[in-house]
Amino acid sequence: MKSDNKNIRHLSLPALQEYFGSIGEKPFRAKQVYEWLWLRHANSFEAMTNLSKELRQKLEEHFSLPAVKIDTVQQSTDGTIKSRFRLHDNHLVEGVLIPTDSRQTACVSSQVGCSLSCKFCATGYMERKRNLDYDEIYDEVALINQQALETSGKKLSNIVFMGMGEPLLNYKNVLQAIERITAPDGLAMSPKRITVSTAGVAKMIRQLGDDKVRFNLALSLHAANDKKRSEIMPINDSNNLTELIAALNYFYKATQNEISFEYILFKDFNDSKEDADELIKIYRQVPADLVNIIEYNPIDMARFQKPDAKTAEEFMEYLSKNRVNARLRRSRGKDIDAACGQLANKG
Ligand code: SF4
């Protein structure tokens, strides 16, 4: 359990230096501790072995270090690893390592539960409990990075914010986590390898542009007209497609960063030629690099099914004939409920 002490990872390096000055310690000690916290990913003061026992005790008395812990791990037959993480207040979130020949991708959560209630998503049927702090998001990534190293000898190459929660409704923590993940004294990853996926919060997409972020953006589109989209994603009522298209163009103009669309194929809902035509129309209004067409993974609570292979193939062919850069993503980790839209702490 987290104590009432201040979380030491919520202190910047200058703030830590100030604290060390106030207790008569040399400034370089602050740097050492900062490295333990971020670069070396220490999960207790005890682990900071190049500090004296007295100093470690003093830190323990003044601060808390509520590190995220792995609760359970499940491995899919296709190599995908789903981890359930336990937070200091016993809330649980999930993260997934998706290994391929060329990539080690982490899919991470940004909130406990989600408030957006998308009809096809298991997380959407859970209540939103709270946002993750930036150090908690960082821990998820660092722990999945360790799994990648242990299982393949390779570090993470990519991170996608496509786990539980809407990242743009936890804006400050997601940006701060990415700052630490990309910092040389953090995980030193390139922001070009990070994609934040949103269900479509137009105001915050514009904010990303104003903040000149360097990571990529994915929009979970899933339906290419307002009527259908509102049916499966209630957020579309307040953030319709016209607003989203304008916000994406604003983001691109400000950052030139990659934009992609995610489009889950649902049988007899959004898999017809007319649906493809509407998708093409939207694609042409946004400087999007890619449309990821995703195979749906049915969940117990939802009525949707995935289309048969022939329908999916025809949909893809039609997009390609119309010069849409689309890729069909076969879902990974289905047998352990780790695939897109399946994260719901089922264990
Ligand atoms: S798809 Fe994303 S935004 Fe929608 S309910 Fe699921 S976690 Fe929330």
Side-chain angles (χ1 to χ4, degrees), residues 72-139:
T72 52
V73 175
Q74 286 175 279
Q75 182 146 15
S76 159
T77 47
D78 66 19
T80 301
I81 296 175
K82 177 171 84 168
S83 304
R84 184 160 74 180
F85 300 110
R86 188 172 289 279
L87 312 180
H88 65 80
D89 52 5
N90 280 324
H91 282 313
L92 300 165
V93 292
E94 293 179 337
V96 185
L97 169 65
I98 308 151
T100 65
D101 290 345
S102 57
R103 288 175 176 209
Q104 299 285 322
T105 303
C107 173
V108 295
S109 297
S110 55
Q111 297 181 310
V112 183
C114 186
S115 57
L116 295 189
S117 306
C118 301
K119 297 286 180 289
F120 50 83
C121 167
T123 313
Y125 289 84
M126 298 166 68
E127 202 187 318
R128 189 201 81 104
K129 297 280 183 354
R130 70 167 173 88
N131 286 339
L132 260 66
D133 277 345
Y134 66 89
D135 51 308
E136 293 174 321
I137 298 172
Y138 184 89
D139 279 353

Side-chain angles (χ1 to χ4, degrees), residues 309-328:
K310 191 167 164 278
T311 310
E313 254 166 54
E314 281 169 5
F315 195 87
M316 293 305 295
E317 269 167 30
Y318 190 74
L319 292 182
S320 132
K321 238 184 11 214
N322 283 280
R323 298 182 311 283
V324 175
N325 183 22
R327 254 186 295 181
L328 182 63

Side-chain angles (χ1 to χ4, degrees), residues 151-171:
T151 51
S152 69
K154 291 183 210 149
K155 289 197 295 191
L156 282 182
S157 59
N158 297 72
I159 302 172
V160 293
F161 282 77
M162 292 184 189
M164 302 163 81
E166 165 53 54
L168 298 190
L169 294 182
N170 185 13
Y171 190 87

Side-chain angles (χ1 to χ4, degrees), residues 327-343:
R327 254 186 295 181
L328 182 63
R329 298 255 184 225
R330 305 222 179 264
S331 264
R332 306 276 310 266
K334 280 184 277 196
D335 51 338
I336 53 168
D337 288 334
C340 262
Q342 287 189 316
L343 300 184

Side-chain angles (χ1 to χ4, degrees), residues 147-207:
Q147 291 174 334
L149 284 167
E150 279 159 21
T151 51
S152 69
K154 291 183 210 149
K155 289 197 295 191
L156 282 182
S157 59
N158 297 72
I159 302 172
V160 293
F161 282 77
M162 292 184 189
M164 302 163 81
E166 165 53 54
L168 298 190
L169 294 182
N170 185 13
Y171 190 87
K172 228 172 122 208
N173 282 305
V174 166
L175 260 62
Q176 234 166 324
I178 293 176
E179 187 278 318
R180 291 282 79 224
I181 291 164
T182 53
D185 59 1
L187 289 168
M189 282 189 68
S190 163
K192 299 274 162 238
R193 298 293 192 133
I194 299 175
T195 301
V196 169
S197 174
T198 177
V201 189
K203 189 173 151 208
M204 302 321 286
I205 293 174
R206 287 173 182 269
Q207 188 64 48

